[in-house]
Amino acid sequence: MSPYPILVVTAVNAEAEAFRALLDPEKIVVEAAGVGPAAAAAGTARLLASRPYRAVLSAGIAGGFPGRADVGSLVIGVRSIAADLGAESPDGFLPIEELGFGSSVLEADPSLVKALCAALPEAAPGDILTLATVTGTAGTTDRLAARFPHAVAEAMEGYGVAVAAEGAGVPFAELRAISNPVGPRNRAAWRMADAFAALRTAAPALNTLP
């Protein structure tokens, strides 16, 4: 096993504190880097430059796609996808690939995903979308679900963390706890306590990652 710890990056301190006390600080370091893909990328790059890490895990709460990830469940990102990185057109959204400017999809490290799935067998693997503006309407939900049939959740930071990890040559994956269904925005229906409980449940398993 590498002598270096795993870096877990959350958006806000509430997510970090949800399970930091349950993690072995010799094996896992948890830091909040900020909300959104830009803050996540910059914060993760700064953290990776400060000391060696053997892997990076983007973690926190997320919205789950109905029928694919239930509220209170865990999901593991096989790919982190910048779902709104591209351009509008009269014929619909054009991802950055069609513009010739790079890729909106970053693959998680297969070995790290395999270890996470083994440690957390109840978690659903799939694509996790990163959006700077999260979904708040049924129409957008339907369009995203159609564009990304393997997407289980959406959040705001995974792709940014993945970009920083890829730049540093460090293995990356994403772990999310579902607090609400993707769809029309109804903050009163969010079950934050259930999502934070799911994160705490995941902590012992993270301590066993190789």
Side-chain angles (χ1 to χ4, degrees):
M1 179 183 291
S2 168
Y4 304 126
I6 292 172
L7 173 63
V8 174
V9 180
T10 68
V12 297
N13 285 323
E15 292 169 315
E17 294 301 329
F19 64 159
R20 178 183 278 135
L22 301 172
L23 296 171
D24 183 344
E26 296 297 318
K27 297 179 179 178
I28 301 178
V29 174
V30 186
E31 298 286 352
V35 175
T44 302
R46 173 181 55 80
L47 290 164
L48 290 175
S50 69
R51 61 176 292 186
Y53 290 97
R54 71 176 186 270
V56 181
L57 190 64
S58 177
I61 64 171
F65 281 93
R68 302 179 187 177
D70 295 331
V71 173
S73 68
L74 293 168
V75 296
I76 295 168
V78 175
R79 302 189 300 172
S80 293
I81 302 175
D84 56 2
L85 185 60
E88 290 184 321
S89 82
D91 297 320
F93 182 79
L94 299 176
I96 196 171
E97 287 87 348
E98 293 189 28
L99 302 176
F101 295 144
S103 176
S104 60
V105 179
L106 289 175
E107 302 274 350
D109 180 77
S111 296
L112 185 53
V113 169
K114 182 178 180 180
L116 283 167
C117 289
L120 296 165
E122 73 280 11
D127 295 338
I128 299 180
L129 308 184
T130 298
L131 297 107
T133 301
V134 294
T135 302
T137 67
T140 300
T141 302
D142 292 343
R143 286 191 293 273
L144 288 173
R147 281 178 60 205
F148 303 104
H150 301 295
V152 291
E154 69 167 29
M156 301 181 76
E157 294 80 30
Y159 183 83
V161 177
V163 167
E166 183 180 61
V170 179
F172 163 83
E174 189 168 359
L175 173 68
R176 296 283 173 178
I178 305 303
S179 61
N180 58 281
V182 176
R185 186 172 176 80
N186 179 13
R187 189 65 184 267
W190 287 18
R191 288 161 45 188
M192 302 293 288
D194 290 346
F196 286 145
L199 286 178
R200 288 191 291 273
T201 299
L206 297 185
N207 288 326
T208 68
L209 292 177

PDB file of all heavy atoms in Angstrom, residues 169-206:
ATOM      1  N   GLY A 169      -1.750  13.634 -12.464  1.00  0.00           N
ATOM      2  CA  GLY A 169      -1.430  12.218 -12.629  1.00  0.00           C
ATOM      3  C   GLY A 169      -1.831  11.368 -11.444  1.00  0.00           C
ATOM      4  O   GLY A 169      -1.174  10.363 -11.139  1.00  0.00           O
ATOM      5  N   VAL A 170      -2.934  11.754 -10.779  1.00  0.00           N
ATOM      6  CA  VAL A 170      -3.397  11.041  -9.578  1.00  0.00           C
ATOM      7  C   VAL A 170      -4.726  10.355  -9.889  1.00  0.00           C
ATOM      8  O   VAL A 170      -5.618  10.970 -10.491  1.00  0.00           O
ATOM      9  CB  VAL A 170      -3.576  12.031  -8.403  1.00  0.00           C
ATOM     10  CG1 VAL A 170      -4.086  11.317  -7.168  1.00  0.00           C
ATOM     11  CG2 VAL A 170      -2.255  12.726  -8.103  1.00  0.00           C
ATOM     12  N   PRO A 171      -4.908   9.086  -9.493  1.00  0.00           N
ATOM     13  CA  PRO A 171      -6.169   8.397  -9.757  1.00  0.00           C
ATOM     14  C   PRO A 171      -7.353   9.134  -9.133  1.00  0.00           C
ATOM     15  O   PRO A 171      -7.250   9.691  -8.030  1.00  0.00           O
ATOM     16  CB  PRO A 171      -5.973   7.022  -9.106  1.00  0.00           C
ATOM     17  CG  PRO A 171      -4.492   6.832  -9.057  1.00  0.00           C
ATOM     18  CD  PRO A 171      -3.922   8.203  -8.844  1.00  0.00           C
ATOM     19  N   PHE A 172      -8.492   9.086  -9.823  1.00  0.00           N
ATOM     20  CA  PHE A 172      -9.672   9.834  -9.410  1.00  0.00           C
ATOM     21  C   PHE A 172     -10.914   8.958  -9.458  1.00  0.00           C
ATOM     22  O   PHE A 172     -11.040   8.067 -10.299  1.00  0.00           O
ATOM     23  CB  PHE A 172      -9.874  11.026 -10.344  1.00  0.00           C
ATOM     24  CG  PHE A 172     -11.261  11.623 -10.283  1.00  0.00           C
ATOM     25  CD1 PHE A 172     -11.581  12.530  -9.297  1.00  0.00           C
ATOM     26  CD2 PHE A 172     -12.242  11.234 -11.184  1.00  0.00           C
ATOM     27  CE1 PHE A 172     -12.863  13.063  -9.219  1.00  0.00           C
ATOM     28  CE2 PHE A 172     -13.516  11.759 -11.122  1.00  0.00           C
ATOM     29  CZ  PHE A 172     -13.829  12.679 -10.136  1.00  0.00           C
ATOM     30  N   ALA A 173     -11.872   9.256  -8.547  1.00  0.00           N
ATOM     31  CA  ALA A 173     -13.222   8.694  -8.625  1.00  0.00           C
ATOM     32  C   ALA A 173     -14.168   9.650  -7.905  1.00  0.00           C
ATOM     33  O   ALA A 173     -13.736  10.636  -7.293  1.00  0.00           O
ATOM     34  CB  ALA A 173     -13.287   7.292  -8.028  1.00  0.00           C
ATOM     35  N   GLU A 174     -15.459   9.353  -7.974  1.00  0.00           N
ATOM     36  CA  GLU A 174     -16.470  10.223  -7.377  1.00  0.00           C
ATOM     37  C   GLU A 174     -17.462   9.386  -6.581  1.00  0.00           C
ATOM     38  O   GLU A 174     -17.904   8.334  -7.044  1.00  0.00           O
ATOM     39  CB  GLU A 174     -17.190  11.015  -8.468  1.00  0.00           C
ATOM     40  CG  GLU A 174     -18.111  12.100  -7.937  1.00  0.00           C
ATOM     41  CD  GLU A 174     -18.601  13.067  -9.017  1.00  0.00           C
ATOM     42  OE1 GLU A 174     -18.211  12.907 -10.188  1.00  0.00           O
ATOM     43  OE2 GLU A 174     -19.371  13.986  -8.670  1.00  0.00           O
ATOM     44  N   LEU A 175     -17.808   9.870  -5.387  1.00  0.00           N
ATOM     45  CA  LEU A 175     -18.763   9.199  -4.508  1.00  0.00           C
ATOM     46  C   LEU A 175     -19.787  10.225  -4.042  1.00  0.00           C
ATOM     47  O   LEU A 175     -19.411  11.279  -3.522  1.00  0.00           O
ATOM     48  CB  LEU A 175     -18.047   8.589  -3.296  1.00  0.00           C
ATOM     49  CG  LEU A 175     -18.931   7.987  -2.208  1.00  0.00           C
ATOM     50  CD1 LEU A 175     -19.631   6.726  -2.714  1.00  0.00           C
ATOM     51  CD2 LEU A 175     -18.110   7.674  -0.965  1.00  0.00           C
ATOM     52  N   ARG A 176     -21.063   9.918  -4.212  1.00  0.00           N
ATOM     53  CA  ARG A 176     -22.118  10.858  -3.836  1.00  0.00           C
ATOM     54  C   ARG A 176     -23.222  10.172  -3.045  1.00  0.00           C
ATOM     55  O   ARG A 176     -23.530   9.001  -3.277  1.00  0.00           O
ATOM     56  CB  ARG A 176     -22.728  11.487  -5.095  1.00  0.00           C
ATOM     57  CG  ARG A 176     -21.760  12.336  -5.901  1.00  0.00           C
ATOM     58  CD  ARG A 176     -21.535  13.683  -5.277  1.00  0.00           C
ATOM     59  NE  ARG A 176     -20.482  14.449  -5.945  1.00  0.00           N
ATOM     60  CZ  ARG A 176     -20.147  15.671  -5.597  1.00  0.00           C
ATOM     61  NH1 ARG A 176     -20.794  16.284  -4.620  1.00  0.00           N
ATOM     62  NH2 ARG A 176     -19.175  16.307  -6.217  1.00  0.00           N
ATOM     63  N   ALA A 177     -23.797  10.944  -2.125  1.00  0.00           N
ATOM     64  CA  ALA A 177     -24.990  10.524  -1.392  1.00  0.00           C
ATOM     65  C   ALA A 177     -26.160  11.348  -1.903  1.00  0.00           C
ATOM     66  O   ALA A 177     -26.046  12.570  -2.064  1.00  0.00           O
ATOM     67  CB  ALA A 177     -24.799  10.735   0.108  1.00  0.00           C
ATOM     68  N   ILE A 178     -27.273  10.713  -2.177  1.00  0.00           N
ATOM     69  CA  ILE A 178     -28.405  11.367  -2.827  1.00  0.00           C
ATOM     70  C   ILE A 178     -29.300  12.041  -1.792  1.00  0.00           C
ATOM     71  O   ILE A 178     -29.827  11.389  -0.883  1.00  0.00           O
ATOM     72  CB  ILE A 178     -29.215  10.360  -3.662  1.00  0.00           C
ATOM     73  CG1 ILE A 178     -28.305   9.652  -4.675  1.00  0.00           C
ATOM     74  CG2 ILE A 178     -30.372  11.060  -4.360  1.00  0.00           C
ATOM     75  CD1 ILE A 178     -27.581  10.577  -5.618  1.00  0.00           C
ATOM     76  N   SER A 179     -29.475  13.357  -1.957  1.00  0.00           N
ATOM     77  CA  SER A 179     -30.300  14.135  -1.035  1.00  0.00           C
ATOM     78  C   SER A 179     -31.659  14.486  -1.610  1.00  0.00           C
ATOM     79  O   SER A 179     -32.587  14.837  -0.866  1.00  0.00           O
ATOM     80  CB  SER A 179     -29.588  15.437  -0.649  1.00  0.00           C
ATOM     81  OG  SER A 179     -29.361  16.239  -1.801  1.00  0.00           O
ATOM     82  N   ASN A 180     -31.792  14.408  -2.935  1.00  0.00           N
ATOM     83  CA  ASN A 180     -33.035  14.830  -3.585  1.00  0.00           C
ATOM     84  C   ASN A 180     -33.090  14.246  -4.983  1.00  0.00           C
ATOM     85  O   ASN A 180     -32.042  13.933  -5.579  1.00  0.00           O
ATOM     86  CB  ASN A 180     -33.114  16.361  -3.679  1.00  0.00           C
ATOM     87  CG  ASN A 180     -31.935  16.936  -4.445  1.00  0.00           C
ATOM     88  OD1 ASN A 180     -30.827  17.069  -3.909  1.00  0.00           O
ATOM     89  ND2 ASN A 180     -32.146  17.269  -5.704  1.00  0.00           N
ATOM     90  N   PRO A 181     -34.289  14.100  -5.536  1.00  0.00           N
ATOM     91  CA  PRO A 181     -34.384  13.680  -6.934  1.00  0.00           C
ATOM     92  C   PRO A 181     -34.072  14.839  -7.867  1.00  0.00           C
ATOM     93  O   PRO A 181     -34.398  15.989  -7.575  1.00  0.00           O
ATOM     94  CB  PRO A 181     -35.843  13.227  -7.080  1.00  0.00           C
ATOM     95  CG  PRO A 181     -36.579  13.961  -6.018  1.00  0.00           C
ATOM     96  CD  PRO A 181     -35.608  14.181  -4.893  1.00  0.00           C
ATOM     97  N   VAL A 182     -33.428  14.552  -8.984  1.00  0.00           N
ATOM     98  CA  VAL A 182     -33.247  15.556 -10.020  1.00  0.00           C
ATOM     99  C   VAL A 182     -34.622  15.899 -10.585  1.00  0.00           C
ATOM    100  O   VAL A 182     -35.409  15.010 -10.899  1.00  0.00           O
ATOM    101  CB  VAL A 182     -32.327  15.026 -11.144  1.00  0.00           C
ATOM    102  CG1 VAL A 182     -32.219  16.037 -12.274  1.00  0.00           C
ATOM    103  CG2 VAL A 182     -30.953  14.682 -10.594  1.00  0.00           C
ATOM    104  N   GLY A 183     -34.910  17.195 -10.709  1.00  0.00           N
ATOM    105  CA  GLY A 183     -36.202  17.595 -11.228  1.00  0.00           C
ATOM    106  C   GLY A 183     -36.591  18.972 -10.739  1.00  0.00           C
ATOM    107  O   GLY A 183     -35.725  19.753 -10.309  1.00  0.00           O
ATOM    108  N   PRO A 184     -37.875  19.295 -10.806  1.00  0.00           N
ATOM    109  CA  PRO A 184     -38.330  20.613 -10.343  1.00  0.00           C
ATOM    110  C   PRO A 184     -37.831  20.909  -8.934  1.00  0.00           C
ATOM    111  O   PRO A 184     -37.933  20.073  -8.032  1.00  0.00           O
ATOM    112  CB  PRO A 184     -39.857  20.481 -10.387  1.00  0.00           C
ATOM    113  CG  PRO A 184     -40.097  19.482 -11.469  1.00  0.00           C
ATOM    114  CD  PRO A 184     -38.969  18.486 -11.349  1.00  0.00           C
ATOM    115  N   ARG A 185     -37.288  22.095  -8.775  1.00  0.00           N
ATOM    116  CA  ARG A 185     -36.636  22.445  -7.507  1.00  0.00           C
ATOM    117  C   ARG A 185     -37.661  22.585  -6.386  1.00  0.00           C
ATOM    118  O   ARG A 185     -38.593  23.381  -6.464  1.00  0.00           O
ATOM    119  CB  ARG A 185     -35.854  23.748  -7.674  1.00  0.00           C
ATOM    120  CG  ARG A 185     -35.025  24.127  -6.460  1.00  0.00           C
ATOM    121  CD  ARG A 185     -34.137  25.315  -6.783  1.00  0.00           C
ATOM    122  NE  ARG A 185     -33.404  25.770  -5.625  1.00  0.00           N
ATOM    123  CZ  ARG A 185     -32.291  25.217  -5.154  1.00  0.00           C
ATOM    124  NH1 ARG A 185     -31.794  24.172  -5.767  1.00  0.00           N
ATOM    125  NH2 ARG A 185     -31.678  25.689  -4.087  1.00  0.00           N
ATOM    126  N   ASN A 186     -37.464  21.800  -5.336  1.00  0.00           N
ATOM    127  CA  ASN A 186     -38.329  21.833  -4.160  1.00  0.00           C
ATOM    128  C   ASN A 186     -37.461  21.590  -2.942  1.00  0.00           C
ATOM    129  O   ASN A 186     -37.340  20.470  -2.456  1.00  0.00           O
ATOM    130  CB  ASN A 186     -39.432  20.782  -4.263  1.00  0.00           C
ATOM    131  CG  ASN A 186     -40.337  20.770  -3.036  1.00  0.00           C
ATOM    132  OD1 ASN A 186     -40.299  21.695  -2.206  1.00  0.00           O
ATOM    133  ND2 ASN A 186     -41.157  19.743  -2.905  1.00  0.00           N
ATOM    134  N   ARG A 187     -36.819  22.657  -2.454  1.00  0.00           N
ATOM    135  CA  ARG A 187     -35.847  22.520  -1.370  1.00  0.00           C
ATOM    136  C   ARG A 187     -36.476  21.909  -0.113  1.00  0.00           C
ATOM    137  O   ARG A 187     -35.795  21.224   0.644  1.00  0.00           O
ATOM    138  CB  ARG A 187     -35.257  23.905  -1.047  1.00  0.00           C
ATOM    139  CG  ARG A 187     -34.071  23.876  -0.075  1.00  0.00           C
ATOM    140  CD  ARG A 187     -32.885  23.152  -0.675  1.00  0.00           C
ATOM    141  NE  ARG A 187     -31.785  23.026   0.252  1.00  0.00           N
ATOM    142  CZ  ARG A 187     -30.779  23.880   0.351  1.00  0.00           C
ATOM    143  NH1 ARG A 187     -30.751  24.941  -0.429  1.00  0.00           N
ATOM    144  NH2 ARG A 187     -29.804  23.694   1.213  1.00  0.00           N
ATOM    145  N   ALA A 188     -37.777  22.144   0.088  1.00  0.00           N
ATOM    146  CA  ALA A 188     -38.432  21.602   1.280  1.00  0.00           C
ATOM    147  C   ALA A 188     -38.457  20.081   1.274  1.00  0.00           C
ATOM    148  O   ALA A 188     -38.570  19.454   2.336  1.00  0.00           O
ATOM    149  CB  ALA A 188     -39.852  22.149   1.381  1.00  0.00           C
ATOM    150  N   ALA A 189     -38.351  19.482   0.094  1.00  0.00           N
ATOM    151  CA  ALA A 189     -38.407  18.024  -0.005  1.00  0.00           C
ATOM    152  C   ALA A 189     -37.027  17.375   0.072  1.00  0.00           C
ATOM    153  O   ALA A 189     -36.938  16.142   0.078  1.00  0.00           O
ATOM    154  CB  ALA A 189     -39.098  17.627  -1.310  1.00  0.00           C
ATOM    155  N   TRP A 190     -35.973  18.176   0.116  1.00  0.00           N
ATOM    156  CA  TRP A 190     -34.635  17.597   0.195  1.00  0.00           C
ATOM    157  C   TRP A 190     -34.457  16.893   1.536  1.00  0.00           C
ATOM    158  O   TRP A 190     -34.850  17.426   2.581  1.00  0.00           O
ATOM    159  CB  TRP A 190     -33.570  18.681   0.045  1.00  0.00           C
ATOM    160  CG  TRP A 190     -33.439  19.216  -1.345  1.00  0.00           C
ATOM    161  CD1 TRP A 190     -34.332  19.110  -2.370  1.00  0.00           C
ATOM    162  CD2 TRP A 190     -32.330  19.963  -1.852  1.00  0.00           C
ATOM    163  NE1 TRP A 190     -33.868  19.751  -3.484  1.00  0.00           N
ATOM    164  CE2 TRP A 190     -32.648  20.285  -3.206  1.00  0.00           C
ATOM    165  CE3 TRP A 190     -31.138  20.407  -1.311  1.00  0.00           C
ATOM    166  CZ2 TRP A 190     -31.782  21.016  -4.004  1.00  0.00           C
ATOM    167  CZ3 TRP A 190     -30.278  21.138  -2.107  1.00  0.00           C
ATOM    168  CH2 TRP A 190     -30.587  21.436  -3.438  1.00  0.00           C
ATOM    169  N   ARG A 191     -33.839  15.735   1.509  1.00  0.00           N
ATOM    170  CA  ARG A 191     -33.592  14.955   2.731  1.00  0.00           C
ATOM    171  C   ARG A 191     -32.092  14.962   3.031  1.00  0.00           C
ATOM    172  O   ARG A 191     -31.379  13.990   2.816  1.00  0.00           O
ATOM    173  CB  ARG A 191     -34.152  13.549   2.572  1.00  0.00           C
ATOM    174  CG  ARG A 191     -35.677  13.520   2.606  1.00  0.00           C
ATOM    175  CD  ARG A 191     -36.295  12.282   2.021  1.00  0.00           C
ATOM    176  NE  ARG A 191     -35.666  11.037   2.437  1.00  0.00           N
ATOM    177  CZ  ARG A 191     -35.968   9.853   1.905  1.00  0.00           C
ATOM    178  NH1 ARG A 191     -36.889   9.775   0.953  1.00  0.00           N
ATOM    179  NH2 ARG A 191     -35.348   8.761   2.321  1.00  0.00           N
ATOM    180  N   MET A 192     -31.634  16.121   3.498  1.00  0.00           N
ATOM    181  CA  MET A 192     -30.212  16.300   3.760  1.00  0.00           C
ATOM    182  C   MET A 192     -29.716  15.357   4.849  1.00  0.00           C
ATOM    183  O   MET A 192     -28.618  14.811   4.762  1.00  0.00           O
ATOM    184  CB  MET A 192     -29.938  17.749   4.161  1.00  0.00           C
ATOM    185  CG  MET A 192     -30.378  18.765   3.123  1.00  0.00           C
ATOM    186  SD  MET A 192     -29.416  18.671   1.607  1.00  0.00           S
ATOM    187  CE  MET A 192     -27.860  19.363   2.160  1.00  0.00           C
ATOM    188  N   ALA A 193     -30.533  15.159   5.896  1.00  0.00           N
ATOM    189  CA  ALA A 193     -30.115  14.279   6.998  1.00  0.00           C
ATOM    190  C   ALA A 193     -29.859  12.872   6.490  1.00  0.00           C
ATOM    191  O   ALA A 193     -28.893  12.217   6.908  1.00  0.00           O
ATOM    192  CB  ALA A 193     -31.166  14.283   8.098  1.00  0.00           C
ATOM    193  N   ASP A 194     -30.694  12.398   5.578  1.00  0.00           N
ATOM    194  CA  ASP A 194     -30.504  11.053   5.028  1.00  0.00           C
ATOM    195  C   ASP A 194     -29.227  10.976   4.195  1.00  0.00           C
ATOM    196  O   ASP A 194     -28.504   9.968   4.232  1.00  0.00           O
ATOM    197  CB  ASP A 194     -31.701  10.661   4.170  1.00  0.00           C
ATOM    198  CG  ASP A 194     -32.957  10.424   4.977  1.00  0.00           C
ATOM    199  OD1 ASP A 194     -32.857  10.303   6.215  1.00  0.00           O
ATOM    200  OD2 ASP A 194     -34.046  10.365   4.371  1.00  0.00           O
ATOM    201  N   ALA A 195     -28.952  12.039   3.433  1.00  0.00           N
ATOM    202  CA  ALA A 195     -27.731  12.048   2.616  1.00  0.00           C
ATOM    203  C   ALA A 195     -26.486  12.072   3.489  1.00  0.00           C
ATOM    204  O   ALA A 195     -25.518  11.345   3.236  1.00  0.00           O
ATOM    205  CB  ALA A 195     -27.748  13.243   1.672  1.00  0.00           C
ATOM    206  N   PHE A 196     -26.496  12.914   4.521  1.00  0.00           N
ATOM    207  CA  PHE A 196     -25.349  12.957   5.417  1.00  0.00           C
ATOM    208  C   PHE A 196     -25.174  11.629   6.161  1.00  0.00           C
ATOM    209  O   PHE A 196     -24.048  11.189   6.407  1.00  0.00           O
ATOM    210  CB  PHE A 196     -25.489  14.108   6.408  1.00  0.00           C
ATOM    211  CG  PHE A 196     -25.252  15.466   5.797  1.00  0.00           C
ATOM    212  CD1 PHE A 196     -25.965  16.567   6.231  1.00  0.00           C
ATOM    213  CD2 PHE A 196     -24.323  15.649   4.801  1.00  0.00           C
ATOM    214  CE1 PHE A 196     -25.755  17.828   5.686  1.00  0.00           C
ATOM    215  CE2 PHE A 196     -24.095  16.889   4.230  1.00  0.00           C
ATOM    216  CZ  PHE A 196     -24.816  17.988   4.679  1.00  0.00           C
ATOM    217  N   ALA A 197     -26.279  10.989   6.506  1.00  0.00           N
ATOM    218  CA  ALA A 197     -26.197   9.672   7.152  1.00  0.00           C
ATOM    219  C   ALA A 197     -25.557   8.655   6.219  1.00  0.00           C
ATOM    220  O   ALA A 197     -24.764   7.807   6.650  1.00  0.00           O
ATOM    221  CB  ALA A 197     -27.582   9.208   7.580  1.00  0.00           C
ATOM    222  N   ALA A 198     -25.879   8.748   4.936  1.00  0.00           N
ATOM    223  CA  ALA A 198     -25.278   7.840   3.966  1.00  0.00           C
ATOM    224  C   ALA A 198     -23.771   8.069   3.862  1.00  0.00           C
ATOM    225  O   ALA A 198     -22.999   7.106   3.754  1.00  0.00           O
ATOM    226  CB  ALA A 198     -25.939   8.008   2.603  1.00  0.00           C
ATOM    227  N   LEU A 199     -23.354   9.336   3.891  1.00  0.00           N
ATOM    228  CA  LEU A 199     -21.919   9.621   3.874  1.00  0.00           C
ATOM    229  C   LEU A 199     -21.228   9.021   5.098  1.00  0.00           C
ATOM    230  O   LEU A 199     -20.140   8.441   4.993  1.00  0.00           O
ATOM    231  CB  LEU A 199     -21.675  11.129   3.827  1.00  0.00           C
ATOM    232  CG  LEU A 199     -21.947  11.846   2.507  1.00  0.00           C
ATOM    233  CD1 LEU A 199     -21.701  13.332   2.662  1.00  0.00           C
ATOM    234  CD2 LEU A 199     -21.099  11.281   1.378  1.00  0.00           C
ATOM    235  N   ARG A 200     -21.864   9.184   6.250  1.00  0.00           N
ATOM    236  CA  ARG A 200     -21.267   8.612   7.469  1.00  0.00           C
ATOM    237  C   ARG A 200     -21.186   7.085   7.381  1.00  0.00           C
ATOM    238  O   ARG A 200     -20.217   6.477   7.846  1.00  0.00           O
ATOM    239  CB  ARG A 200     -22.066   9.044   8.701  1.00  0.00           C
ATOM    240  CG  ARG A 200     -21.884  10.520   9.055  1.00  0.00           C
ATOM    241  CD  ARG A 200     -22.463  10.838  10.420  1.00  0.00           C
ATOM    242  NE  ARG A 200     -23.925  10.748  10.426  1.00  0.00           N
ATOM    243  CZ  ARG A 200     -24.733  11.739  10.108  1.00  0.00           C
ATOM    244  NH1 ARG A 200     -24.238  12.921   9.744  1.00  0.00           N
ATOM    245  NH2 ARG A 200     -26.037  11.572  10.150  1.00  0.00           N
ATOM    246  N   THR A 201     -22.188   6.478   6.779  1.00  0.00           N
ATOM    247  CA  THR A 201     -22.176   5.022   6.617  1.00  0.00           C
ATOM    248  C   THR A 201     -21.024   4.575   5.731  1.00  0.00           C
ATOM    249  O   THR A 201     -20.459   3.492   5.917  1.00  0.00           O
ATOM    250  CB  THR A 201     -23.518   4.559   6.013  1.00  0.00           C
ATOM    251  OG1 THR A 201     -24.587   4.904   6.895  1.00  0.00           O
ATOM    252  CG2 THR A 201     -23.531   3.055   5.787  1.00  0.00           C
ATOM    253  N   ALA A 202     -20.668   5.418   4.757  1.00  0.00           N
ATOM    254  CA  ALA A 202     -19.595   5.066   3.820  1.00  0.00           C
ATOM    255  C   ALA A 202     -18.215   5.180   4.441  1.00  0.00           C
ATOM    256  O   ALA A 202     -17.260   4.559   3.942  1.00  0.00           O
ATOM    257  CB  ALA A 202     -19.668   5.950   2.581  1.00  0.00           C
ATOM    258  N   ALA A 203     -18.077   5.949   5.509  1.00  0.00           N
ATOM    259  CA  ALA A 203     -16.752   6.240   6.061  1.00  0.00           C
ATOM    260  C   ALA A 203     -15.938   4.993   6.423  1.00  0.00           C
ATOM    261  O   ALA A 203     -14.769   4.888   6.043  1.00  0.00           O
ATOM    262  CB  ALA A 203     -16.880   7.164   7.264  1.00  0.00           C
ATOM    263  N   PRO A 204     -16.498   4.015   7.159  1.00  0.00           N
ATOM    264  CA  PRO A 204     -15.683   2.834   7.498  1.00  0.00           C
ATOM    265  C   PRO A 204     -15.162   2.104   6.264  1.00  0.00           C
ATOM    266  O   PRO A 204     -14.046   1.581   6.271  1.00  0.00           O
ATOM    267  CB  PRO A 204     -16.659   1.964   8.308  1.00  0.00           C
ATOM    268  CG  PRO A 204     -17.663   2.923   8.865  1.00  0.00           C
ATOM    269  CD  PRO A 204     -17.832   3.972   7.803  1.00  0.00           C
ATOM    270  N   ALA A 205     -15.975   2.079   5.198  1.00  0.00           N
ATOM    271  CA  ALA A 205     -15.534   1.413   3.989  1.00  0.00           C
ATOM    272  C   ALA A 205     -14.386   2.152   3.322  1.00  0.00           C
ATOM    273  O   ALA A 205     -13.454   1.544   2.797  1.00  0.00           O
ATOM    274  CB  ALA A 205     -16.715   1.270   3.013  1.00  0.00           C
ATOM    275  N   LEU A 206     -14.433   3.488   3.363  1.00  0.00           N
ATOM    276  CA  LEU A 206     -13.343   4.268   2.772  1.00  0.00           C
ATOM    277  C   LEU A 206     -12.029   4.014   3.488  1.00  0.00           C
ATOM    278  O   LEU A 206     -10.955   4.037   2.858  1.00  0.00           O
ATOM    279  CB  LEU A 206     -13.689   5.769   2.804  1.00  0.00           C
ATOM    280  CG  LEU A 206     -14.895   6.214   1.994  1.00  0.00           C
ATOM    281  CD1 LEU A 206     -15.027   7.738   2.039  1.00  0.00           C
ATOM    282  CD2 LEU A 206     -14.832   5.722   0.559  1.00  0.00           C
TER     283      LEU A 206
END
